[in-house]
Amino acid sequence: IERLDWLATNLLELSKLDSGLVLLDLRPDDLRAAVESAVEQAESAARKRGVELAMQLPERPLRVRHDPQRMGQVVANLVANAIKFTPRGGSVVVTLSPAGEGARIDVADTGVGIDASEMPHIFERFYRGSQANEARSSGSGLGLAIVRSIVDMHGGKTFVESRIAGGSRFTVT
């Protein structure tokens, strides 16, 4: 029942985002707070899975016009995926840096990687990849669709680099 509730909540969230029913609370604010909060919330999950979680933030405030709650959700989804697909003893590093007039967020892991044939589909709703493994079977295939939708609403871009057994790097600008 909890899993169905979680799935329904994510579907409703994505539907609202895609239909324009969600209004962003855009304001110039320090993006470090949203990133730091999302990473800190993921620390216990990383510890349980035996994955090292680290973040690299700029020393000075990085004021960017954004919706702090939604950008926190973007980072939380990317970090949760990175932890889920990284084996025990691996690592996930979240880096925030200035990029022109905006910012760049990188979530890099030493995980299982994504096959090149799957890359065009990973941001599609319900897509979980063709490799049957424990991590993929435990997800809904909605997290990256939500990430893409929120980033698009901010006028940003989402990129991914990955190779099988070589980890992945998701970048949001």
Side-chain angles (χ1 to χ4, degrees):
I1 290 174
E2 287 175 6
R3 179 133 167 81
L4 285 174
D5 181 51
W6 174 82
L7 181 61
T9 300
N10 278 300
L11 275 171
L12 182 59
E13 175 78 7
L14 188 55
S15 177
K16 285 179 184 177
L17 288 167
D18 287 349
S19 67
L21 291 175
V22 171
L23 297 177
L24 295 180
D25 180 16
L26 295 173
R27 58 181 181 250
D29 203 356
D30 186 2
L31 188 55
R32 294 179 307 172
V35 172
E36 188 172 23
S37 176
V39 172
E40 286 175 353
Q41 289 176 16
E43 285 175 347
S44 70
R47 269 193 309 276
K48 285 179 188 171
R49 291 194 46 92
V51 173
E52 180 185 340
L53 178 59
M55 69 180 143
Q56 299 170 350
L57 304 176
E59 290 182 20
R60 293 192 177 103
L62 185 50
R63 294 182 66 77
V64 177
R65 188 170 144 83
H66 70 285
D67 181 321
Q69 180 182 351
R70 296 296 174 185
M71 287 310 297
Q73 187 177 9
V74 164
V75 175
N77 283 1
L78 292 175
V79 170
N81 271 2
I83 291 169
K84 184 179 359 177
F85 291 104
T86 299
R88 182 169 293 283
S91 65
V92 174
V93 179
V94 180
T95 306
L96 173 64
S97 56
E101 297 294 313
R104 173 182 170 135
I105 302 168
D106 288 296
V107 178
D109 65 57
T110 59
V112 297
I114 305 165
D115 187 85
S117 67
E118 296 180 359
M119 294 290 261
H121 307 288
I122 61 172
F123 291 100
E124 295 173 5
R125 289 180 187 202
F126 303 114
Y127 187 78
R128 297 189 313 183
S130 59
Q131 296 182 12
N133 67 28
E134 178 187 332
R136 280 188 173 82
S137 66
S138 67
S140 66
L142 294 174
L144 290 178
I146 290 171
V147 164
R148 165 88 26 107
S149 186
I150 292 171
V151 171
D152 286 352
M153 289 174 69
H154 278 82
K157 299 283 183 204
T158 310
F159 307 95
V160 62
E161 303 168 42
S162 186
R163 66 182 200 279
I164 294 294
S168 300
R169 175 184 303 273
F170 284 81
T171 301
V172 171
T173 59

